[in-house]
Coordinates of all heavy atoms in Angstrom, one line a residue:
M1 N -67.0 20.8 -33.5 CA -65.9 21.5 -32.7 C -64.6 20.9 -33.0 O -64.5 19.6 -33.1 CB -66.3 21.5 -31.3 CG -67.5 22.2 -30.9 SD -67.4 24.0 -31.1 CE -69.0 24.5 -30.6
I11 N -72.1 23.0 -13.0 CA -72.9 24.2 -12.7 C -73.6 23.8 -11.4 O -74.5 23.0 -11.4 CB -73.8 24.6 -13.8 CG1 -73.1 24.9 -15.1 CG2 -74.6 25.9 -13.4 CD1 -73.1 23.8 -16.1
P18 N -84.9 21.8 -15.9 CA -84.6 21.0 -17.1 C -85.6 21.2 -18.2 O -85.3 20.9 -19.4 CB -84.6 19.6 -16.6 CG -84.5 19.7 -15.1 CD -85.1 21.0 -14.8
A49 N -63.2 19.1 -12.0 CA -64.2 19.8 -12.8 C -64.0 21.4 -12.6 O -63.7 21.9 -11.6 CB -65.6 19.4 -12.4
A54 N -73.8 28.8 -9.4 CA -75.0 29.3 -9.8 C -76.0 29.6 -8.7 O -77.2 29.8 -8.8 CB -75.7 28.4 -10.8
W58 N -80.9 30.9 -11.9 CA -81.7 29.9 -12.6 C -80.8 29.3 -13.7 O -80.1 30.0 -14.4 CB -83.0 30.5 -13.2 CG -84.0 30.9 -12.2 CD1 -83.9 31.5 -11.0 CD2 -85.4 30.5 -12.3 NE1 -85.1 31.7 -10.4 CE2 -86.0 31.1 -11.1 CE3 -86.2 29.9 -13.2 CZ2 -87.4 31.0 -10.9 CZ3 -87.6 29.8 -13.0 CH2 -88.2 30.3 -11.8
E75 N -77.2 41.6 -40.5 CA -77.6 43.0 -40.0 C -76.5 44.0 -40.4 O -75.3 43.7 -40.4 CB -77.8 43.0 -38.5 CG -78.9 42.1 -38.1 CD -79.2 42.3 -36.6 OE1 -79.9 43.3 -36.3 OE2 -78.7 41.6 -35.8
D83 N -79.0 37.1 -48.3 CA -79.1 35.9 -49.2 C -80.3 35.1 -48.8 O -80.3 33.9 -48.9 CB -77.8 35.1 -49.0 CG -76.6 35.8 -49.6 OD1 -76.6 36.1 -50.8 OD2 -75.7 36.2 -48.8
G94 N -83.8 23.1 -54.1 CA -82.5 22.5 -54.1 C -81.5 23.4 -53.4 O -80.4 22.9 -53.0
D99 N -75.3 27.1 -47.1 CA -74.3 27.6 -48.1 C -74.1 29.1 -48.1 O -73.3 29.7 -48.8 CB -74.6 27.1 -49.5 CG -74.5 25.6 -49.7 OD1 -73.6 25.0 -49.1 OD2 -75.3 25.0 -50.4
R109 N -74.1 37.0 -32.0 CA -73.7 37.5 -30.7 C -75.0 37.9 -29.9 O -75.0 37.7 -28.7 CB -72.8 38.7 -30.9 CG -71.4 38.3 -31.5 CD -70.5 39.5 -31.7 NE -69.2 39.2 -32.2 CZ -68.9 39.0 -33.5 NH1 -69.9 39.1 -34.4 NH2 -67.7 38.6 -33.9
Q169 N -95.9 41.0 -59.4 CA -95.3 42.2 -60.0 C -94.7 41.9 -61.3 O -94.4 42.8 -62.1 CB -94.3 42.7 -59.0 CG -94.9 43.3 -57.7 CD -93.8 43.6 -56.7 OE1 -92.7 43.2 -56.8 NE2 -94.2 44.4 -55.7
R185 N -98.2 22.0 -55.7 CA -98.8 20.7 -56.0 C -98.1 20.1 -57.2 O -97.7 18.8 -57.2 CB -100.3 20.9 -56.3 CG -101.0 19.6 -56.6 CD -102.5 19.8 -56.7 NE -103.1 20.0 -55.4 CZ -103.7 21.2 -55.0 NH1 -103.6 22.3 -55.8 NH2 -104.2 21.3 -53.8
E186 N -97.8 20.9 -58.2 CA -97.1 20.3 -59.4 C -95.7 19.9 -59.1 O -95.3 18.8 -59.6 CB -97.1 21.4 -60.5 CG -96.4 20.9 -61.8 CD -96.4 22.0 -62.9 OE1 -95.9 23.1 -62.6 OE2 -96.9 21.7 -64.0
S203 N -83.7 -0.6 -59.4 CA -84.0 -2.0 -59.4 C -83.5 -2.7 -60.7 O -83.2 -3.9 -60.6 CB -85.5 -2.2 -59.3 OG -86.2 -1.8 -60.4
D211 N -81.6 15.1 -60.2 CA -82.2 16.4 -60.2 C -82.2 16.9 -58.8 O -82.9 16.4 -58.0 CB -83.6 16.4 -60.8 CG -84.2 17.8 -60.9 OD1 -84.2 18.5 -59.9 OD2 -84.7 18.2 -62.0
V253 N -96.6 24.5 -39.3 CA -97.1 25.8 -39.7 C -96.1 26.8 -39.1 O -95.8 26.8 -37.9 CB -98.5 26.0 -39.2 CG1 -98.9 27.5 -39.3 CG2 -99.5 25.1 -40.0
R304 N -99.4 22.1 -30.2 CA -98.0 22.2 -29.7 C -97.4 23.5 -30.4 O -97.5 23.6 -31.6 CB -97.2 21.0 -30.0 CG -97.7 19.8 -29.2 CD -96.8 18.6 -29.6 NE -97.0 18.2 -31.0 CZ -96.0 17.7 -31.7 NH1 -94.8 17.5 -31.2 NH2 -96.2 17.3 -33.0
V366 N -77.5 27.6 -19.9 CA -77.5 29.0 -19.6 C -77.9 29.3 -18.2 O -78.9 28.8 -17.6 CB -78.5 29.7 -20.5 CG1 -78.5 31.2 -20.2 CG2 -78.2 29.5 -22.0

Side-chain angles (χ1 to χ4, degrees):
M1 296 293 180
I11 301 98
W58 287 46
E75 293 189 87
D83 293 295
D99 294 323
R109 294 177 178 85
Q169 290 172 347
R185 185 174 283 112
E186 182 179 55
S203 67
D211 183 307
V253 169
R304 292 182 297 146
V366 180

